[in-house]
Each structure stands twice: as C-alpha cells, then as structure tokens.
Amino acid sequence: MTRFRFSRRTGLFATLVVLMLAFTGLTLVSSRWMRAGRVDLTADHLYTLTPGTLRIVDNLHAPLKLTLYFSEHAARDLPQLRSYQERVHEMLQEMVARTHGRLRLQVVDPMPYSDDEVSAESYGLSPVNAGNNRERVFFGLVGSTAPPGSDSENDTDSDTQPGGKTLTIPLLDPARETFLEYDIVKLLYELNEPVKPHIGLISSLPVQGNPVIGDEPWTVMRQLSQLFDVKTLDPAKLEHIGDDIQVLLLIHPKQLSSNALYAIDQYVLRGGRLVVFVDPDAELDATPFVDSNGVTDDHNSDLPKLFTAWGVKYDPKKVVLDRARALRIELADNSALNHPAMLGLTAQELNHDDVVTASLQRVNVSSAGYFDLAPDARLRLLPLLQSSTDATIVPTQRLLESSRDPASLLDGYQPNNTHYVIAARLRGTFPSAFPERAVQTGHLEHSASDAEVILVADTDLLSDRLWVSYAQSLLGQTQLSAIANNGDFITNIADNLSGSSALLSIHGRSTSQRPFTKVQALQNAADQKFLVKKQELQRELAETRSRLTELQPAKSGHGDAASAEQKSEIEKFLQRQLAINRELRNVQHQLNAEIDALGLKLKFINIVLVPALLTLFGLIYGWRRSRRSRRPS
C-alpha cells in the first residue's frame, strides 16, 4: 500500500489554497446573504442610520416604492456627482434592507429623448445643465404608494396608476448633503401618512382674509392650505387643544384669556409643536391705537406668562435696527433710502445647520424684536434668523415717531457688535406656567421634554408686502413672484414640526467629503504669496502712473526729452511687470511641485513602504520560527 508523504512546503501551499477558497466563499456568502451586517468605521458614523430614521423606517406599513433617477451617462465626467450618487444609493439600500419588502428601490438612467426622461419630467424633477456638452443631468427621487387594491409585489408601475400617492425630491443637491437623511426620511414619513397634517391657527391679524368684504387670505396662508389642513381656533372659547392638532400657529397673541393660555401651556407639555409670532410693532394690526374705552394699543404682542416660565427674555417695546441689512424703500416724495428697521436678512444671518433655513437665501422682516434667555433658563435657544453685528436696539416709540423721517433712526447710531436673535428654536424640558392648577387638580401635565417651540419676533414677515411681487400677465391675470423666502420659511417650519418626534430628532449629518487638509494648507500659502505679488504689482502700477503724470507738464518745454523719459519709465514698468509675472508662475510651479511631492510621498508610503515593512516583519517572524524549530530539544 502506497503512503503519500507531504513535505512542509507542500502542506503550506495546500493551506494557502484552502484559505483562499475559504476567503472567496465567505466573501460571496456575505455579499449575497449578509448585506445588512456591516460595520461603520467612518468618522461621525456617516453610514449609520440615526435612531429616528430607524423608528420611521421600521414603522412603515404601506408598501412604498422609491425610484432614483440619475443620468449616469451624462454625468460620466462628473466624479464628485457620481460619488454623491453612490452615497445616496447606499443610504437608500440601507433603508430598503430594514423594511423586509415594504420598501422597494429602482434606479433609472433617463437617457435623452427616452420614455424615462419623459417620466422624470412628468414628476417635476429638476435637471441641471452640467453634463458633457451641457447635457441635462437628472438626479432626483420619486416616492410612491401602491393604489388601493393593487399587488405591490407584482405591480412595478403602481406609482403611475390612479389612487397612489406620489412625492418627489426634485434635485438631490450635494450642497444639502448634511440633510440627505432627513430629506429622504421625511419623504417616506409623508408617504406613510394617509391624510394631510392638521394645523391649528390662533391669530389676531387678518391672515385668513375676510370673505365678507372680498379680502383674500395672505399668500403664506394659501400656501399652507395647499399642504395642510388649517383649522382656525377661537381664543375666546378656547379651553383645550386636541391632540389631532400637530402644529399650533399663534400669530400676534393679544389679550388671551387665562383659559386660552392654559390650553396652550398644556398642549406644549403634552409634546405639542408650537410656533409663536410676536411683534413689538405689528404694522398690519388694524385695531385703533386708542379704543372706545380710551385704552392705548401699541400694536405689540407678547406672551409674558409663558415666556417667563420658559426663561425667555423678550421686550415688546424694543426694535432691532440693522443698517448693514437695511432694505431700500421709496418715500412719498419719490426719494429713496435704506430703512434700518426693515431688514433683508441674507444667507449670512440664516442658520444653515438647521433644516428649516438651510436652503433659504433671504428673509425680509420689519420692525422686528429679539429673544434672549434668562440667566436661570433651563431651555436652549437655537437661532434661526438673526441680525448682523452692525445692529442696535431702540425703543419702539422712537420707531413710531420716525415714520415721516426714517433717516432720523440713524442719528446717534451705535452698533452693539451683537447678533440679535429674531427667530429661534426653543428646546429642552418645558415647565408649566400654571403649576398652581397642577397642584389643585393633581392630574395635569407638569413638564415635557419632547415638545418643540419656535419663536419669531416679527409678524410683518407673514404679510405679502415683504416678500411677494404682483404682476399682470398678458391674459390679464395676476401673477405672483417671490422676492424673498418668507413663504418658504413658514412652510418649512410647518413641514418640519408636523412630522413625528423621530423625524425631528434627525439633525444635519457631516458630509462624506474628506478634503486633503495638507494640500489645502499648501494652496492657502500659495494664495497668500500670489496676493502679496498682486499688491506689489498694483503699487508699482500706481507709482508709475503718478510718475507719468508728473512728467506730463515737462512735455511742453522739452517735448523730446519728456517723451524719452516717459518711454524709459514705461519700458522699466513693462520689464518689471514681466519679472513679476515670472515670479507668479514660479510660485504656481512651486505649489504644484509641493503637491506632487506630497502625492509621491503618500504613494510611496502606501504602495512601497507599508507592504515592504509587512513583508520584512513576516520574513523576520518566519526566520525566527524556523531557527526555533531547528534547535535541538
């Protein structure tokens, strides 16, 4: 009988083959059946879904379909956009994997002049001309529910049938990557909800218009009515706010009864979402300054009892002025000036870390107040809108007295170098403003930590005059165009607060972009060198022009000599200009050389040095083991 004897080398080779086969098999098995089993080792856990997202995705009950439109061919030379598409795709796959069939994903490449392109346009996706030869690039998401009675497993086009609900993200903008998870989950949440969210409205301003005299609702309310079910509440009869009210809008609260304040207090403590608009001077308040009883109405509004309980400081007799953001207005004498109490807040004054204001560019306010926190406040005030640092505070009475001469507001103007908070989120554990009632009844709410309150120290931003422009079309119809994002601001607030508490818990995430900080440092250093050279050239240019001007009078007496001197100066300047241009090119070449050297160094470390060290370590380890095995025992 023949006995097979394996040498040590043959055994080692066989072991390596077995390990390779085992590794290949494990890779195939894990990629096929263990896709959800991943470990996120990235900074900030970039690829890990937040707990709020998991709660919403796990509670999806309707069969939903997501269609990701991405122009793969048109974006073939846009590596950053393709990288972001992979990021979006991976996040969608992560959500799909958790739903066990309740959520399906389809990826579509809408080629030019194809049915897919027509489909993308019909859903309102916004293409951008960024591809090769300015091709249109679609990059949007369409979510749909199956119509009643359809078989979602077999019906691949259920979103096109009547009865289904369809929502879209027209453009997945890489600039909004920090809110990518929020935007997608918000779409899923809205698809999963069968009816419009309910919004309660309490207002002393005519925001809903007056049908009796033909006044239409303000544009912002018409926009809200398209997206939400708005229910007006009578503050005179208000004793309780139902849990069906997902967001309560409190606009210009004046002379609210104790019962109404208590109802609002208890609504917040039950985890309600409240938006409060107060104003030191509501310019569209139609009530007379002096009523029939001789009581003066300053057209301001406040919630002193609730604000005091929450630790919020607000003075209804102070107005924010900001000459750096003053809007230009026309006066009765056809002159114009920048009104320091009417402000056009730009992107610099908006909080781009909050989903409500992240995409806004401009919000106009007028005679706005400001908020702050008391020293003993337990809540947090997170700014949404604020003034620039070139702002100051004046009494409301001074603003009223300057109505005929707004320029007088700039007399003695002293900026405080402070950002005044005009709108903000209020978060934390809300205490009750009526603890005595809680003691009397023994079953009322005492505090709440899951409530959400947004404060806005201006009501005029709701009015059409600050953000809507009217124009007549060729057919005689009135057309509206937005000159600011006031309407979007209010809609975003209602949209954000009407979601579940899980949706509100999803905040901005870090981006997937990881720039080379060393390369950026080299670029910044080179920019500084360029700036110095540029300033040097500009100084020499100014000096040469001044010298030529001085030589000009000598031209009348000694024309040839002056002309020759001018030519000499010009020649010197041109030579110096060429020398500085050469130095600028040398700085650029030096920068490129430093970046190339850094790249070569990294490549050498990753490709040569690290493998060489590992190999050397393996050889030394093997040699030591070999020597040990040869020693006589």
Side-chain angles (χ1 to χ4, degrees), residues 352-367:
H352 283 264
D353 292 329
D354 193 291
V355 68
V356 167
T357 48
S359 300
L360 306 183
Q361 298 299 319
R362 184 186 187 92
V363 175
N364 293 339
V365 300
S366 182
S367 61

Side-chain angles (χ1 to χ4, degrees), residues 280-281 289 296 298 316-319 394-403 409:
D281 179 30
F289 271 97
T296 301
D298 292 333
K317 297 186 180 298
K318 294 290 181 65
V319 174
V394 298
T396 307
Q397 185 61 33
R398 182 181 173 188
L399 175 65
L400 298 176
E401 294 171 352
S402 67
S403 58
L409 292 172

Side-chain angles (χ1 to χ4, degrees), residues 93-143:
Q93 285 181 319
E94 190 77 13
M95 295 179 184
V96 169
R98 291 191 61 89
T99 60
H100 305 292
R102 297 191 306 277
L103 179 63
R104 295 179 296 119
L105 175 64
Q106 180 183 5
V107 181
V108 175
D109 180 5
M111 300 292 291
Y113 311 108
S114 66
D115 293 339
D116 291 332
E117 184 182 56
V118 174
S119 175
E121 290 178 334
S122 68
Y123 287 126
L125 300 190
S126 304
V128 292
N129 296 323
N132 296 313
N133 300 320
R134 307 301 295 173
E135 292 179 78
R136 298 198 306 170
V137 176
F138 287 90
F139 188 19
L141 185 66
V142 177

Side-chain angles (χ1 to χ4, degrees), residues 11 25 31 39 56 74 98 103 121 148 221 247 264 275 281 290 305 311 337 358 367 416 430 466 538 552 565 573 596:
S31 63
V39 178
I56 292 177
R98 291 191 61 89
L103 179 63
E121 290 178 334
M221 297 309 302
V247 181
I264 296 171
V275 187
D281 179 30
V290 181
K305 192 171 184 64
L337 62 79
S367 61
N416 297 327
F430 287 81
L466 280 183
Q538 289 175 340
Q552 194 66 29
E565 192 171 357
F573 172 70
D596 291 340

Side-chain angles (χ1 to χ4, degrees), residues 198-210:
H198 294 263
I199 289 183
L201 173 65
I202 300 175
S203 176
S204 62
L205 296 178
V207 295
Q208 292 285 51
N210 190 340

